[in-house]
Amino acid sequence: MAEPAAPMPRRRIELSLLEARNRFTQLVRLASLTGQVAVITDQGRPVAAIVPATAVPSDEPAAAPRVDTEHAAAGWMRRIEQVRDAVRRQHAARINELEQAVTDAWGVIDRVAPRGSDRAADELRVAQRDVLAKPPHAAGSPPRPS
């Protein structure tokens, strides 16, 4: 099972009024999800901030916090595992392609320079004997352990 990700460090960013206007929705969502504070500047002077609602004092009694963070974290972990699986499949396919290319190349070398006929080819065979001893695995199966 994957280990939970470390919490994102809360950091303060400064944006110009124009940039904050263009990224307002993103800044609000970041504040609510990660607690990030965005300070808005006007000609270099801080004039306002977008902060999480929990950071603002209220005259109303505190409402129960939403428990969506666990659900969101579980969703992200599922998505990360899906991406990892997809990357593993892509790597396995690439390994298959490379192994087939190496096998084909050695087939050509064996035809052009049979064993014992070319010293350089024989030296390559010795250097690559561990690779040549392994038959390529079938497509779709996991790669051989190294």
Side-chain angles (χ1 to χ4, degrees), residues 97-140:
E97 292 170 5
L98 289 171
E99 286 178 342
Q100 187 59 48
V102 168
T103 301
D104 293 345
W106 276 108
V108 170
I109 292 170
D110 287 342
R111 277 194 315 272
V112 172
R115 293 181 192 275
S117 67
D118 185 342
R119 181 182 173 121
D122 288 340
E123 288 174 358
L124 282 173
R125 284 184 184 92
V126 169
Q128 297 291 316
R129 69 178 168 262
D130 59 328
V131 175
L132 295 172
K134 297 178 189 176
H137 63 277

Side-chain angles (χ1 to χ4, degrees), residues 6 16 21 25-26 28 34-35 39 58 71 91 97 102 109 111 143:
S16 69
R21 180 177 154 232
T25 304
Q26 177 187 16
V28 170
T34 67
V39 176
S58 173
H71 181 64
H91 286 179
E97 292 170 5
V102 168
I109 292 170
R111 277 194 315 272

